Amino acid sequence: MLNGFFFIPLKRSSCFPYREQQQPAHAPDQDQHVPSRGPVRRNSYPCGGDYRVVGVTEFRDKLHTSRQGLRVRHMSPGGTPLRVLPPPPSAPKPLISSAAAHTHHSAAAGSQSAGDGNKNQSGNPPATATPSTNGAGQEQSKPLPPKNTNVVPKLKEPRSLYCVPRDIVPPRWPVGIEGVCPDPNLSHKHTSPPFVEEFYKRPSGANLRLLEKVDTDKDEGNVVYQLPPMRFPFYTRSRPAATLETIPLPLAHYPNDEVLRFESRFESANLFRARRVGPYEYELELRWDYFTMKHTQWFYFMASNTRAGPTYKFTIINLLKSGSLYNEGMKPLFYSERNAKNKNIGWVRTGHNIHYYKNNIRRKDCKGERYQYSLTWQFQFPHTGDVCYFAHCYPYTYTDLQADLLEIAKDPVKSQYVKQRILCHSLGGNMVHLLTVTTPSSHLTEAKQKRAVVVTSRVHPGETNSSYMMRGFINFITGPSPDAKVLRDNFVFKIVPMLNPDGVIVGNYRSSLAARDLNRNYKNPIKDAYPTIWSVKAMIRRMLTEREVVLYCDLHGHSRKMNVFMYGCENKEAAFRLHERVFPNMMGRNTSKFKYSSCRFKVQKKKEGTGRIVMWQQMGILNSFTMEATFAGYNNVHFSSKDLEDMGYHFCDTLLDYCDPDTTKVDHVLSNLTRIVKAQYAAKLGKNIDDIKDLPLEDMDFSDLESSDGGSDSSVSDGPPKLPMLRKVPLSVCSEATLYLKILSNPT
């Protein structure tokens, strides 16, 4: 809407999610003969198509026709949809050879339905011709007899949902971001260091309470980097990165050339402001998750113009969690482009004098006396004039995922049993990939006997360690090992490697572009606001009608606990009592990185919107888990990216043990679990285990034996999605497509 007028699409478009549809260069202008009541604005909005300005009254008049089942397409001055008329009877029909006809129909298969193909005036398909030769050896076209006219019309195939691009597609960014930096080299090497990266050991006698409430003056020093504010308070629409300007960001005045140059206008980065408070000291502020005022834990940014020798001090001053693994010995990650080029060294843990403490800055997202937290560390750059990066965990971007999937698609062996499809498009119009991994079956009955395993990850964008576990899982399940072949022969794996690509692209920690935590909206997802969650549920529900889903697992990262562990759902039925604990217990036996004692199976009311609980309650999947990997490590040693990828292998190894036709292992684990749980229950009652040995398991309440599975600062859903609502926001800032959909759904 602009100055009291609406923009009406003049040709077919996809209004949600917002994706631009480019017109081929050779195609004629289809709107050149369409009458118009106002100026035509061409290719101005991401819905595709052209728009003309009409008054509000005329727009309302169109709604009745639209709500009767017709879409507002080509409009005549009278308000009736314009139809494309067939050519006049006198128009000549060119004769084409059979080879040309075959080529033509092949090229038009994706853009024209079978019922809407080229027809003659009688409604029959046009007669084609076969080449023949005359006496001179020249070809002549001979018309063929008419084909069967009983053609069943069908809808056009949704090619955008199953045609995976053969190259990396640039991500789409929300409108309101002013530009991106000159393309940095983000092809980070993930080579694990040749040495063990131990935790930071704080000097004895250090007291973190001395750092609490340290006076922090937000106006102190010189601002050397700051992102422009977002122009909208909520998501409106998106556009491809190619349309963003790549000019350098205007920075504050530099007193000398020793100042670091910061940058965060690239994928997954989220530095908002950098202030120089000393010669080699900087205070940093992270950008909130877009359209929120919270969720700051993940950080990723670039620093250049470095100096070797001096000790730099960095302090992030707007973190929100009261506890952090940085006080348990975790170090930030550092990457040097010069070290990667000359020494083949990738991401390494670095820093000293690392502290995480409460500061004196009040939080803006809640009421009361609640304060933000600071993370500070000191560091020396290895080279002068280097380009370096700092991160909370190993970055894994949307472009990295596409590169991994393209490598699989180009492999002639893996592509035989790996099918890549587009599950849906995200709110921002980015592709959500779906992988189906299984050995092709020769008979339908054989295919139906296979059970299914569903694995998803990256619903929280800042939990990048989940992507590395997913990468290890995919690499193993598509690999040449005999165990992988056995799994492919007996299971159908449905894999969604990135549930929240929009959040990954913009550098969010927890939210989507709807400003909500997707992992709290599985219970009743809104399709237009949470398309990925809605599509995953629909895919699993449809699959349950065909085969059994033996296991569902959503991969996550955890910011407060060590090791790798699982959250499950306690089954209180007598036939399945303690069965949900078997798989995690077996995984703890297969690797020391997995800690079974950290697993929890309590179903909390505030977590009822999470994926694992919804799949257990609504879908009836017995083994429904969330596998959490720490951001730090285990046994006072940091996890490397390879350690995280190895967890994907251990997951597959445990699946083989759990689904083995010989149930000896499962029976043994279940027997041990029964004995352990009875001992814990007897200790809670103050009795001897022999006193309750005859008590059935279904009569025991294990809920008090476990602590909360918390660790998140957004355990409860924040309510409906933060999207433009017709009666709550000015129409001038609403996207035209969203506004149009809102009026159609509620014209009053």
Side-chain angles (χ1 to χ4, degrees), residues 34 122 133 365 610 689:
V34 177
S122 62
T133 58
D365 64 315
T610 59
I689 190 173

Side-chain angles (χ1 to χ4, degrees), residues 177-207:
I177 296 179
E178 298 297 335
V180 295
C181 67
D183 191 18
N185 181 18
L186 293 182
S187 57
H188 297 316
K189 293 184 178 180
H190 296 282
T191 306
S192 299
F195 49 86
V196 176
E197 296 181 298
E198 296 183 351
F199 284 179
Y200 169 70
K201 296 180 180 179
R202 187 173 290 105
S204 59
N207 190 355

Side-chain angles (χ1 to χ4, degrees), residues 40-297:
V40 175
R41 296 176 178 264
R42 302 190 180 279
N43 301 326
S44 301
Y45 295 90
C47 295
D50 301 333
Y51 291 79
R52 64 182 176 87
V53 181
V54 298
V56 177
T57 304
E58 182 183 354
F59 178 79
R60 294 287 184 178
D61 294 340
K62 305 296 185 291
L63 294 180
H64 177 73
T65 304
S66 178
R67 294 180 64 85
Q68 295 297 325
L70 295 176
R71 294 186 179 181
V72 181
R73 293 185 184 173
H74 302 274
M75 290 295 178
S76 68
T80 58
L82 293 178
R83 301 184 182 277
V84 180
L85 299 178
S90 59
K93 293 182 177 294
L95 297 178
I96 57 175
S97 64
S98 60
H102 175 74
T103 305
H104 170 74
H105 289 300
S106 299
S111 60
Q112 207 170 31
S113 63
D116 294 333
N118 297 327
K119 295 183 179 182
N120 54 23
Q121 296 304 306
S122 62
N124 299 329
T128 58
T130 55
S132 61
T133 58
N134 56 12
Q138 298 176 348
E139 274 195 4
Q140 290 181 342
S141 297
K142 182 179 180 181
L144 293 176
K147 295 183 179 179
N148 184 13
T149 58
N150 298 326
V151 179
V152 179
K154 62 180 181 180
L155 296 176
K156 183 177 70 174
E157 296 174 336
R159 308 201 76 182
S160 62
L161 296 182
Y162 69 85
C163 289
V164 180
R166 298 188 178 184
D167 201 357
I168 294 178
V169 178
R172 298 183 64 90
W173 296 76
V175 169
I177 296 179
E178 298 297 335
V180 295
C181 67
D183 191 18
N185 181 18
L186 293 182
S187 57
H188 297 316
K189 293 184 178 180
H190 296 282
T191 306
S192 299
F195 49 86
V196 176
E197 296 181 298
E198 296 183 351
F199 284 179
Y200 169 70
K201 296 180 180 179
R202 187 173 290 105
S204 59
N207 190 355
L208 288 179
R209 292 189 176 275
L210 297 177
L211 296 173
E212 290 190 2
K213 296 292 184 69
V214 173
D215 291 335
T216 302
D217 186 1
K218 297 185 69 174
D219 297 327
E220 180 185 359
N222 298 320
V223 174
V224 296
Y225 178 82
Q226 180 171 331
L227 288 177
M230 190 68 175
R231 293 192 287 123
F232 302 107
F234 41 74
Y235 172 75
T236 56
R237 53 191 175 92
S238 66
R239 56 179 175 176
T243 63
L244 299 176
E245 297 182 359
T246 56
I247 59 175
L249 186 70
L251 303 178
H253 173 69
Y254 289 126
N256 52 58
D257 196 42
E258 294 182 354
V259 180
L260 291 177
R261 268 62 166 172
F262 294 91
E263 187 57 85
S264 63
R265 293 175 300 159
F266 52 88
E267 266 192 272
S268 298
N270 67 337
L271 179 64
F272 175 68
R273 181 187 292 119
R275 181 182 292 105
R276 187 173 185 242
V277 296
Y280 301 103
E281 184 177 353
Y282 295 86
E283 284 188 354
L284 311 176
E285 291 183 57
L286 304 179
R287 176 185 49 75
W288 315 106
D289 282 9
Y290 270 115
F291 317 117
T292 74
M293 295 185 66
K294 56 183 178 179
H295 305 316
T296 52
Q297 190 69 27

Side-chain angles (χ1 to χ4, degrees), residues 648-665:
Y649 158 73
H650 294 304
F651 182 89
C652 296
D653 189 31
T654 305
L655 184 62
L656 277 173
D657 294 338
Y658 181 77
C659 297
D660 194 334
D662 183 2
T663 61
T664 303
K665 291 182 180 180

Side-chain angles (χ1 to χ4, degrees), residues 680-693:
Q680 293 175 347
Y681 188 74
K684 185 188 74 170
L685 299 178
K687 298 181 179 181
N688 193 297
I689 190 173
D690 295 331
D691 299 335
I692 62 170
K693 63 179 181 180

Side-chain angles (χ1 to χ4, degrees), residues 533-547:
I533 303 303
W534 187 91
S535 299
V536 167
K537 284 191 67 177
M539 181 265 293
I540 295 177
R541 186 180 291 110
R542 181 173 60 252
M543 187 166 52
L544 284 169
T545 63
E546 303 172 355
R547 65 186 82 250

